Structures are given as C-alpha cells and as structure tokens.
Amino acid sequence: MTFPRPKTEAPAQRFQEASAAARDALEKLIAAANEAGWGTEEISVAFLEAARFLNEANKKDPDPADDPIISEVPGKREQIGHGELFD
C-alpha cells in the first residue's frame, strides 16, 4: 500500500490531507477485512484500539529505531529455559 506525500507544510492543510488519506486507506482496509469475513463494526473497533495502542506506544518511545539493540547493551544477556544463559 502506498500513502500520498503531503502537498503543503501548513499544519491545518496537512491535517486535512492526512485525514483524507487515512480515511481512504481505512476504507480499503475495511473492504479487504469484509471480504475476509470480518464485520465492519468489529474491524472498525479493532482498528480504533490498534490506533490507540500505537499512539500510546509512540508517546512512550517516539523513535524506537534509535533504541540500542539488546546485544549491544553492556552486561545484557538473554536467559532461556530454566536459568541457562544464551551466549
């Protein structure tokens, strides 16, 4: 799926463009979900919950790509099973 680039830098117009693009994308997703057997109401609520979750996650960590990889954290070792350490 492609998403259109913003046509302006003005915040109010960007919001309108983003809303229109999101609505178009959601209509396509809902249609695909309907074809797969999901009801419009249930999938719409699921999208709302997913959007809330992603919004909250973004508030907690706006750029997770900047987080260090676990293997790069000094002293961090993964534990598996019953106390075995993963090398």
Side-chain angles (χ1 to χ4, degrees), residues 55-66:
N55 188 44
E56 288 300 315
N58 186 56
K59 286 178 184 177
K60 291 177 184 173
D61 191 359
D63 198 355
D66 288 344

Side-chain angles (χ1 to χ4, degrees), residues 38 40-52:
W38 296 100
T40 299
E41 179 73 19
E42 67 184 331
I43 202 65
S44 296
V45 170
F47 286 146
L48 283 172
E49 289 303 313
R52 282 190 194 112

Side-chain angles (χ1 to χ4, degrees), residues 10-26:
Q13 285 86 5
R14 284 177 67 95
F15 178 76
Q16 289 176 345
E17 288 178 39
S19 294
R23 190 170 36 255
D24 183 52
L26 279 173

